Amino acid sequence: MSPALIELLIGIGGQLYKGISQAIETAKQNAELTEEQATALRAKMDAAFKTDPAWLVKPDPS
Amino acid sequence: MKTRLLPLLSLLALLTLSNGCKSILPGNDPVVVRAQQTEQIAFTTFDTYVHIEDKYRSTLWAVSHDFKRVADKIRIGAPGWFKSFDAVLDAYKANRTSDNKANLAAGLAALEQSVIEAQSYLARAVEEGAKP
């Protein structure tokens, strides 16, 4: 296996761990979000869409 | 590594599709709770996917151009998907009619479909990356 693929797998594992941890916290929710929580969630998503470089569409690799 | 990552993906899929089974505190609408959970898990899944694709673009591009195609579809579509979903969720919360509930269910189904696609490409990234 090439070093690039090993790095890919390790990277995916790290990102997945972070995502799973967040999803598990979400799954524990047993009540409706308050207005403040819902507003904060929408602000967090909007900020990611607009400012997180990973969310920006970039040219295809050559 | 592959055998450790695939169960993680299965867990993420399970969390996406089974969050309607939780016991809901009295006075809370299970429809709203499930919708909010699905929205949060959908965002987490999309965010995870676009970060992986962004960080390992050249490696994934060499495997299949579809990884970037799907990521760009999420990048372009997700803001609108969530805006539409929030609109039907807000409409249901303001007026809990059967029509608004049906609209919310349709919104949930559409969001879950996009999540399943992202999860399938995450699984494919693991599969392809683990090939000898």
Side-chain angles (χ1 to χ4, degrees), chain A residues 8 11 13 15 19-20 22-23 26-27 29-33 35 41-42 45 52 54-56 58 60-61, chain B residues 5 8 12 15 22-25 28-29 33 36-37 40 43-44 47 51 54 56 61 68 75 86 90:
Chain A
L8 170 68
Q15 287 287 342
I20 293 287
Q22 290 175 357
T26 301
Q29 179 188 335
N30 58 3
E32 295 178 27
L33 297 179
E35 284 304 315
L41 172 65
R42 289 171 187 181
M45 291 195 295
D52 186 336
W55 275 92
L56 302 179
K58 292 162 194 154
D60 290 346
Chain B
L5 291 181
L8 282 178
L12 189 58
L15 287 168
K22 295 282 166 282
S23 57
I24 305 298
L25 291 177
N28 291 275
D29 186 339
V33 175
Q36 291 173 332
Q37 286 175 318
Q40 291 173 82
F43 176 74
T44 297
D47 194 54
H51 274 90
D54 183 67
Y56 301 101
W61 181 262
K68 185 170 187 296
R75 291 180 179 111
D86 285 340
D90 286 345

Side-chain angles (χ1 to χ4, degrees), chain A residues 7-27:
Chain A
E7 187 189 342
L8 170 68
L9 283 174
I10 292 171
I12 289 175
Q15 287 287 342
L16 275 179
Y17 179 79
K18 186 179 161 193
I20 293 287
S21 299
Q22 290 175 357
I24 287 173
E25 284 306 306
T26 301

Side-chain angles (χ1 to χ4, degrees), chain B residues 2-111:
Chain B
K2 174 185 165 186
T3 54
R4 291 178 186 171
L5 291 181
L6 288 178
L8 282 178
L9 283 166
S10 301
L11 178 60
L12 189 58
L14 191 66
L15 287 168
T16 307
L17 300 173
S18 69
N19 54 12
C21 305
K22 295 282 166 282
S23 57
I24 305 298
L25 291 177
N28 291 275
D29 186 339
V31 173
V32 173
V33 175
R34 176 156 189 262
Q36 291 173 332
Q37 286 175 318
T38 299
E39 184 173 32
Q40 291 173 82
I41 290 176
F43 176 74
T44 297
T45 302
F46 296 152
D47 194 54
T48 300
Y49 184 76
V50 299
H51 274 90
I52 287 172
E53 193 280 330
D54 183 67
K55 189 168 183 183
Y56 301 101
R57 177 163 300 139
S58 59
T59 304
L60 291 171
W61 181 262
V63 174
S64 170
H65 297 185
D66 284 347
F67 289 109
K68 185 170 187 296
R69 181 186 59 77
V70 171
D72 286 347
K73 180 178 159 188
I74 291 169
R75 291 180 179 111
I76 293 166
W81 301 339
F82 285 111
K83 191 173 179 183
S84 298
F85 187 78
D86 285 340
V88 291
L89 176 56
D90 286 345
Y92 175 76
K93 285 167 70 179
N95 192 3
R96 301 183 190 217
T97 64
S98 56
D99 279 354
N100 283 342
K101 189 174 181 179
N103 289 338
L104 183 56
L108 267 175
L111 203 54

